[in-house]
Amino acid sequence: MSGSLTSEEKKSVSSSHSQTLNSEGSIADTTRQGILLAIIAMAAFSSGDAVVKHVAQTYPLPQLLWVRYLILSVFVIGMAIYREGPGGVIRISRSNNLKLQIFRSIFLVGEAFLFTLSFKLLPIADVHAIVAVAPIFVTALSALWLKEQVGLRRWSAVLVGFAGVMIILRPGFEGFNQLFLLPLVAAAAFAFYQILLRISSRYDDGQVSQFYTGIVPLIFVTFLVPFFWVQPDFNGWIALIAGGIFISLGHLFLIFAFQYATPSAVQPFNYTLLVWATLFGWLFYNELPDSWTIFGALIVVASGLYTLYRERKRVGQG
């Protein structure tokens, strides 16, 4: 057989090559769209945090959480109706492990309370610099709780990440602020919540989990909020609603981001939250992190990105 191609074969190869390039280009385009949506989501989250810091000085935290979960529930139910009609709400309310969903969602209230209290008492950028350690906590919990295989390199990244947190906290030094332990506990709680979310994904899809993420906390906080309610004025209502809308939009944009790009492509850009938090903290509250906090945050982010890289490589090899 001759090594040369016929004209028809050349056309076929050319067409196949063109389709491959178009396919690769399409994937690259959707990945870029997903990354852009993730960055917008982080900006929305940080905007919500900036608003929450303001309103938390006037209104009780249960009231803030009640408004947030009310708006989030409206978003989730509205999306379900938009996608599938009224029957979509019934579908996403059916869980294969209702007890786990309820426990996970109630735990979320405690975690959200810690975060909100942190934003009330501390600079926004400092809170996010410490909370950036959450993915490293997830890696440790995945190994200890879920018995996932975590190699020496990822354990080393976990230890380096903790070293970065210690640089930010500076325990035993003059710059140590005991309130910094609050976002550290919040980060650990968020990591625990992520593990619960990972377990619940074995039973239910993401839309079901989103439904319970809004509805269960809303019902829970509704029983608490009458004891803490402070009647807002017009500006107060605007701020409360704006905070809830920003955070809900953050969740919504993040959901869309994962529809366009893989989690491994999106997750590294979640760290842009630190950039937005620093920017908004400076613009609205004249807050800037000190040099030690920036240095520690860079170490935490670097170790987190390396952990994501090793996880992506492990999954690719699997």
Side-chain angles (χ1 to χ4, degrees):
M1 179 180 289
S2 171
S4 61
L5 298 176
T6 67
S7 60
E8 290 301 321
E9 288 173 330
K10 288 179 180 178
K11 288 179 181 178
S12 176
V13 170
S14 176
S15 175
S16 175
H17 181 63
S18 177
Q19 289 175 357
T20 300
L21 289 176
N22 289 337
S23 176
E24 290 176 351
S26 177
I27 292 172
D29 288 341
T30 57
T31 298
R32 282 193 290 268
Q33 290 174 354
I35 289 170
L36 178 60
L37 287 168
I39 294 172
I40 294 173
M42 295 305 110
F45 281 133
S46 190
S47 299
D49 295 337
V51 175
V52 164
K53 182 176 180 64
H54 171 69
V55 296
Q57 311 302 322
T58 305
Y59 300 102
L61 300 190
Q63 186 169 347
L64 270 65
L65 295 178
W66 183 81
V67 174
R68 174 190 301 184
Y69 289 121
L70 175 63
I71 294 173
L72 180 59
S73 296
V74 170
F75 265 85
V76 172
I77 293 173
M79 286 296 295
I81 295 174
Y82 173 76
R83 289 169 176 164
E84 305 175 41
V89 180
I90 298 174
R91 186 189 69 78
I92 64 175
S93 67
R94 291 172 177 165
S95 171
N96 295 313
N97 195 330
L98 185 59
K99 290 182 180 178
L100 176 60
Q101 288 286 9
I102 291 175
F103 174 73
R104 176 189 66 81
S105 301
I106 291 177
F107 183 84
L108 175 64
V109 177
E111 176 256 321
F113 181 88
L114 289 172
F115 270 108
T116 307
L117 185 59
S118 299
F119 290 127
K120 178 179 180 178
L121 300 175
L122 293 167
I124 299 172
D126 288 0
V127 172
H128 281 298
I130 297 171
V131 171
V133 79
I136 300 170
F137 277 136
V138 171
T139 299
L141 286 174
S142 297
L144 299 174
W145 187 1
L146 300 181
K147 306 302 180 184
E148 293 183 1
Q149 186 66 35
V150 176
L152 179 61
R153 292 178 180 178
R154 282 204 288 165
W155 274 120
S156 299
V158 168
L159 294 176
V160 171
F162 283 132
V165 171
M166 289 301 103
I167 291 174
I168 297 172
L169 297 179
R170 300 189 289 281
F173 292 88
E174 184 179 347
F176 176 61
N177 184 349
Q178 292 181 341
L179 290 176
F180 280 171
L181 296 176
L182 193 60
L184 184 63
V185 174
F190 181 66
F192 184 82
Y193 170 77
Q194 291 292 311
I195 297 296
L196 291 176
L197 189 60
R198 188 177 296 182
I199 295 173
S200 67
S201 68
R202 300 172 183 173
Y203 302 95
D204 300 313
D205 64 28
Q207 293 180 29
V208 173
S209 292
Q210 291 164 21
F211 174 78
Y212 285 98
T213 296
I215 290 296
V216 173
L218 176 62
I219 295 172
F220 182 78
V221 179
T222 296
F223 287 103
L224 298 177
V225 75
F227 300 101
F228 299 93
W229 187 265
V230 173
Q231 184 59 36
D233 57 16
F234 178 77
N235 291 333
W237 274 118
I238 294 296
L240 286 167
I241 294 172
I245 289 176
F246 276 128
I247 292 173
S248 297
L249 284 174
H251 286 289
L252 191 63
F253 279 119
L254 201 55
I255 291 168
F256 287 151
F258 286 123
Q259 291 178 354
Y260 283 96
T262 61
S264 59
V266 168
Q267 282 177 333
F269 292 89
N270 290 349
Y271 285 111
T272 58
L273 185 62
L274 272 171
V275 178
W276 292 114
T278 302
L279 176 63
F280 293 149
W282 172 64
L283 286 176
F284 300 119
Y285 300 103
N286 197 29
E287 299 172 345
L288 282 175
D290 61 25
S291 56
W292 284 108
T293 299
I294 294 173
F295 179 54
L298 289 174
I299 293 175
V300 170
V301 170
S303 61
L305 289 174
Y306 182 75
T307 300
L308 292 172
Y309 164 74
R310 292 301 304 177
E311 172 66 14
R312 183 178 184 180
K313 192 171 183 180
R314 181 186 70 82
V315 172
Q317 291 174 344

